[in-house]
């Protein structure tokens, strides 16, 4: 079974078409997960053996259960062992659990220590007690979004250790006005979802090295 989060693709039919071309070559069952109605406007390839699943209609805890089943050991906020204290740490902040887990896997396999947070409040709680080398953060999240979180990190003395920590916005789409708001809030750059592995690592390398 393959899980695909349609919300991650938004209205980017180009990337969705490329993905579905590969999925059509497989006999594996594909579950298209979605919450946002705009995801239903994506063109779905009838040759793919798929089923649409509205996450909001699932029983509480089912979504997290699915992610734990596939990504159990990647969803733990672990503290680095003494032998890995020099490892660079990245804080991933995104309410899209499946996308956050996937990105976390890529980063962990490349040697980064990854910390997960599902919204800005959780991110600030972590930064209050731990230091990180870089923050990758979604723009729209429940409780506290990326803009407000960035303003807190840059302007609140409670997080003075991270006043200059690189913050990368990870968003499905950004217009010119939003890009200006990101810069004014103190974010250093952005990556569009869905991003390729090369795009993610090129951006991270630009700010960490």
């Amino acid at each position: 079974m393959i899980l695909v989060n349609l919300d991650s693709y938004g209205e980017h039919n180009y990337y969705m078409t490329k993905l579905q071309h590969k999925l059509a070559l497989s006999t594996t069952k594909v579950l298209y997960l979605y919450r946002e109605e705009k995801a239903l406007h994506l063109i779905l390839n009838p040759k793919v053996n798929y089923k649409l699943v509205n996450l909001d209609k699932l029983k509480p805890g089912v979504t997290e259960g699915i992610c734990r089943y596939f990504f159990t050991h990647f969803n733990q906020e672990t503290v680095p062992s003494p032998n890995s204290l020099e490892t660079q740490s990245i804080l991933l902040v995104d309410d899209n659990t499946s996308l956050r887990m996937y990105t976390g896997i890529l980063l962990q396999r490349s040697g980064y220590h990854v910390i997960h947070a599902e919204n800005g409040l959780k991110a600030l709680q972590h930064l209050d007690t731990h230091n990180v080398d870089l923050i990758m953060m979604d723009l729209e999240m429940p409780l506290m979004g990326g803009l407000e979180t960035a303003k807190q990190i840059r302007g609140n003395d409670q997080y003075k250790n991270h006043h200059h920590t690189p913050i990368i916005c990870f968003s499905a789409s950004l217009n010119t006005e939003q890009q200006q708001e990101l810069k004014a809030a103190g974010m250093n750059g952005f990556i569009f979802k869905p991003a390729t592995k090369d795009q993610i690592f090129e951006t991270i390398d630009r700010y960490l090295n």
Side-chain angles (χ1 to χ4, degrees):
M1 181 172 64
I2 298 174
L3 303 180
V4 177
N5 192 324
L6 292 183
D7 293 341
S8 300
Y9 287 86
E11 300 174 355
H12 299 284
N13 260 306
Y14 171 75
Y15 296 105
M16 190 62 188
T17 299
K18 292 184 67 175
L19 172 65
Q20 290 184 103
H21 177 70
K22 295 182 180 180
L23 293 176
L25 301 177
S26 171
T27 58
T28 304
K29 181 76 174 182
V30 178
L31 294 185
Y32 286 132
L33 312 177
Y34 74 97
R35 277 198 174 95
E36 300 178 12
E37 290 298 318
K38 66 179 181 181
L40 298 179
H41 296 296
L42 290 165
I43 300 173
L44 300 182
N45 189 336
K47 294 182 180 180
V48 177
N49 181 21
Y50 73 85
K51 182 178 178 63
L52 278 168
V53 179
N54 186 337
L55 293 177
D56 288 331
K57 293 184 179 181
L58 295 178
K59 294 181 179 179
V62 171
T63 306
E64 292 296 327
I66 292 174
C67 291
R68 280 197 300 271
Y69 180 80
F70 286 98
F71 305 115
T72 301
H73 60 295
F74 294 107
N75 195 28
Q76 298 174 353
E77 295 187 6
T78 57
V79 177
S81 64
N83 295 328
S84 62
L85 289 179
E86 298 302 319
T87 300
Q88 291 175 309
S89 58
I90 297 177
L91 175 60
L92 286 181
V93 192
D94 199 325
D95 62 316
N96 187 325
T97 308
S98 58
L99 180 61
R100 194 178 74 244
M101 294 300 108
Y102 172 74
T103 306
I105 290 171
L106 292 179
L107 297 175
Q108 285 183 313
R109 286 180 176 175
S110 295
Y112 293 104
H113 173 60
V114 180
I115 303 97
H116 294 265
E118 61 267 29
N119 56 59
L121 286 179
K122 290 286 186 180
L124 293 179
Q125 289 174 6
H126 180 85
L127 295 179
D128 198 26
T129 55
H130 298 83
N131 290 328
V132 300
D133 297 292
L134 182 140
I135 301 167
M136 290 182 64
M137 184 158 53
D138 190 18
L139 190 61
E140 297 182 3
M141 296 177 288
L143 300 181
M144 182 178 287
L147 277 177
E148 180 58 34
T149 307
K151 291 176 182 178
Q152 288 291 324
I153 295 172
R154 297 301 190 221
N156 192 331
D157 284 342
Q158 184 174 351
Y159 312 107
K160 61 183 179 181
N161 288 342
H162 291 94
H163 280 351
H164 302 289
T165 300
I167 303 176
I168 300 172
C169 179
F170 205 20
S171 181
S173 61
L174 292 171
N175 57 38
T176 303
E177 182 180 349
Q178 288 174 317
Q179 292 179 27
Q180 293 174 345
E181 290 178 343
L182 296 182
K183 186 176 181 179
M187 289 190 176
N188 301 87
F190 57 88
I191 305 176
F192 285 121
K193 300 176 183 177
T196 65
K197 179 180 178 181
D198 288 342
Q199 289 172 330
I200 292 174
F201 285 108
E202 284 173 5
T203 304
I204 291 174
D205 187 66
R206 188 185 314 153
Y207 292 103
L208 286 185
N209 301 309

